[in-house]
Short mmCIF file of all heavy atoms in Angstrom, two decimals:
data_model
loop_
_atom_site.label_atom_id
_atom_site.label_comp_id
_atom_site.label_asym_id
_atom_site.label_seq_id
_atom_site.Cartn_x
_atom_site.Cartn_y
_atom_site.Cartn_z
N ASN A 79 45.51 67.45 -29.75
CA ASN A 79 46.05 66.09 -29.83
C ASN A 79 45.15 65.33 -30.77
O ASN A 79 43.93 65.55 -30.79
CB ASN A 79 46.06 65.42 -28.45
CG ASN A 79 46.97 66.11 -27.48
OD1 ASN A 79 47.94 66.77 -27.87
ND2 ASN A 79 46.67 66.00 -26.19
N ILE A 80 45.73 64.43 -31.57
CA ILE A 80 44.92 63.68 -32.53
C ILE A 80 45.05 62.19 -32.29
O ILE A 80 46.00 61.72 -31.64
CB ILE A 80 45.32 64.02 -33.99
CG1 ILE A 80 46.79 63.69 -34.24
CG2 ILE A 80 45.02 65.47 -34.30
CD1 ILE A 80 47.17 63.76 -35.71
N GLY A 81 44.11 61.46 -32.82
CA GLY A 81 44.13 60.01 -32.75
C GLY A 81 43.44 59.42 -33.95
O GLY A 81 42.46 59.99 -34.45
N GLU A 82 43.97 58.33 -34.44
CA GLU A 82 43.38 57.64 -35.59
C GLU A 82 43.36 56.15 -35.32
O GLU A 82 44.24 55.62 -34.64
CB GLU A 82 44.20 57.89 -36.85
CG GLU A 82 44.22 59.32 -37.32
CD GLU A 82 45.05 59.50 -38.59
OE1 GLU A 82 45.88 58.62 -38.91
OE2 GLU A 82 44.85 60.52 -39.25
N GLY A 83 42.36 55.49 -35.86
CA GLY A 83 42.27 54.04 -35.77
C GLY A 83 41.50 53.50 -36.94
O GLY A 83 40.57 54.14 -37.43
N ARG A 84 41.90 52.34 -37.39
CA ARG A 84 41.19 51.70 -38.51
C ARG A 84 41.27 50.20 -38.35
O ARG A 84 42.14 49.70 -37.64
CB ARG A 84 41.75 52.15 -39.85
CG ARG A 84 43.21 51.83 -40.10
CD ARG A 84 43.80 52.49 -41.34
NE ARG A 84 43.60 53.91 -41.46
CZ ARG A 84 44.28 54.85 -40.80
NH1 ARG A 84 45.23 54.50 -39.98
NH2 ARG A 84 44.03 56.12 -40.96
N GLY A 85 40.37 49.52 -39.02
CA GLY A 85 40.37 48.07 -38.97
C GLY A 85 39.01 47.52 -39.31
O GLY A 85 38.17 48.21 -39.89
N ILE A 86 38.79 46.27 -38.93
CA ILE A 86 37.54 45.57 -39.21
C ILE A 86 36.79 45.37 -37.89
O ILE A 86 37.36 44.89 -36.91
CB ILE A 86 37.80 44.21 -39.87
CG1 ILE A 86 38.59 44.37 -41.18
CG2 ILE A 86 36.48 43.46 -40.11
CD1 ILE A 86 37.88 45.18 -42.26
N ALA A 87 35.52 45.75 -37.89
CA ALA A 87 34.64 45.52 -36.74
C ALA A 87 33.74 44.35 -37.06
O ALA A 87 33.40 44.11 -38.23
CB ALA A 87 33.81 46.76 -36.45
N PHE A 88 33.35 43.62 -36.03
CA PHE A 88 32.43 42.50 -36.20
C PHE A 88 31.12 42.89 -35.55
O PHE A 88 31.07 43.24 -34.38
CB PHE A 88 33.02 41.23 -35.58
CG PHE A 88 34.28 40.81 -36.29
CD1 PHE A 88 35.51 41.25 -35.88
CD2 PHE A 88 34.20 40.01 -37.42
CE1 PHE A 88 36.68 40.89 -36.55
CE2 PHE A 88 35.34 39.65 -38.11
CZ PHE A 88 36.58 40.09 -37.68
N ILE A 89 30.03 42.84 -36.34
CA ILE A 89 28.73 43.30 -35.87
C ILE A 89 27.80 42.12 -35.63
O ILE A 89 27.78 41.15 -36.39
CB ILE A 89 28.10 44.31 -36.86
CG1 ILE A 89 26.84 44.94 -36.27
CG2 ILE A 89 27.85 43.67 -38.22
CD1 ILE A 89 26.35 46.16 -37.01
N GLU A 90 27.05 42.23 -34.54
CA GLU A 90 26.00 41.27 -34.23
C GLU A 90 24.79 42.08 -33.78
O GLU A 90 24.88 42.82 -32.81
CB GLU A 90 26.45 40.31 -33.14
CG GLU A 90 25.45 39.20 -32.91
CD GLU A 90 25.99 38.11 -32.00
OE1 GLU A 90 27.18 37.79 -32.09
OE2 GLU A 90 25.20 37.60 -31.21
N GLY A 91 23.70 41.94 -34.50
CA GLY A 91 22.52 42.75 -34.20
C GLY A 91 22.78 44.20 -34.53
O GLY A 91 23.07 44.55 -35.66
#
Side-chain angles (χ1 to χ4, degrees):
N79 295 334
I80 60 170
E82 295 181 341
R84 61 190 51 78
I86 302 298
F88 296 91
I89 188 166
E90 187 170 322

